[in-house]
Amino acid sequence: MKRSIALLTVIVLCVTGSAYALYMIIDSGDWPKSWPKELEPLRKQSRTLVGPQFEQPHYAIPFDKRDAFEAAWPHLLKVKTKGAPIILVRGENFFLGGAKKAGVVVHGRPTDPPAPEAPIAGATDPRSKWMNTTYIELVVDGEVVDLNRIPLPADTPIVDERFKEKK
C-alpha cells in the first residue's frame, strides 16, 4: 500500500512538473533596460514568461486602471518591431495570468538562438509569422483598454481576433 502511494505521488509530481517546465516564469517585468524609462513603474505588476520551445520572452502587463494603460500605451508602441502587428484579443489571457481581462503582452523575439528580426515567409498564422520580431498582443476589455480612446499606428498591421472562436 505504501509503495503504491509513493509511486502515485512520484507520477503526479512528474506530470505537474513537466507542465510548468514549458515556461520559465518570473514574477516581474524582466524586459531589457533599453526599453523606455516610462515603463519602469510597470515592472512590479508584470510577469515574464520565457519559452515554450526555446528562449522566447513574453512580457505580460495587466492593467486595472484606464489612465495607467493610456499613459503607458505610446511607450509600449516604441518597443514593437517596425512593421510587426498588434493582435487584438479579448477575454482571459494565459500570459496575463488567466483572470485578467485587460492588458498588453509584448512577445519578444527569440534570444537563444538569436533569430533574424523579420517575419517568417510562408507562415499564415500571425503569431508564427511574426515570432522573430517583437509584436504586441493587446487584451481589450472595452473599459480599461478601450480602442476608442487610443491611437493605433497607421503603419502597423492590426490583426483582430477578438471575435474568433476559441478552440
Side-chain angles (χ1 to χ4, degrees):
M1 179 69 173
K2 288 184 179 181
R3 253 189 204 168
S4 337
I5 292 172
L7 182 60
L8 180 62
T9 303
V10 168
I11 291 171
V12 168
L13 288 173
C14 288
V15 168
T16 58
S18 63
Y20 283 108
L22 293 175
Y23 284 96
M24 177 179 70
I25 301 173
I26 303 165
D27 287 326
S28 69
D30 193 30
W31 53 74
K33 301 278 186 218
S34 61
W35 281 23
K37 64 179 173 45
E38 292 84 358
L39 298 175
E40 284 300 313
L42 301 176
R43 283 189 192 271
K44 291 179 186 163
Q45 74 193 49
S46 304
R47 71 185 201 153
T48 302
L49 293 88
V50 180
Q53 297 168 344
F54 42 84
E55 288 189 31
Q56 182 168 17
H58 309 271
Y59 309 105
I61 309 168
F63 288 93
D64 295 325
K65 295 186 175 25
R66 179 190 299 168
D67 294 344
F69 165 71
E70 290 176 1
W73 180 241
H75 307 292
L76 287 162
L77 289 173
K78 293 175 187 174
V79 304
K80 184 182 77 58
T81 301
K82 186 173 178 59
I86 295 172
I87 300 176
L88 306 176
V89 297
R90 68 182 169 106
E92 295 181 357
N93 185 279
F94 165 77
F95 292 101
L96 292 179
K100 299 285 185 179
K101 294 184 180 179
V104 176
V105 181
V106 179
H107 297 277
R109 57 191 278 251
T111 57
D112 189 22
E117 195 168 15
I120 297 174
T124 55
D125 173 64
R127 286 170 180 76
S128 298
K129 179 177 183 170
W130 295 98
M131 71 182 288
N132 287 346
T133 67
T134 299
Y135 68 93
I136 292 175
E137 185 173 330
L138 186 57
V139 184
V140 180
D141 69 342
E143 294 176 24
V144 175
V145 177
D146 181 352
L147 295 177
N148 294 315
R149 296 181 52 92
I150 61 168
L152 294 175
D155 62 345
T156 296
I158 306 297
V159 179
D160 193 349
E161 294 182 350
R162 292 175 294 160
F163 306 103
K164 185 177 176 182
E165 290 291 322
K166 293 189 180 189
K167 295 178 184 178

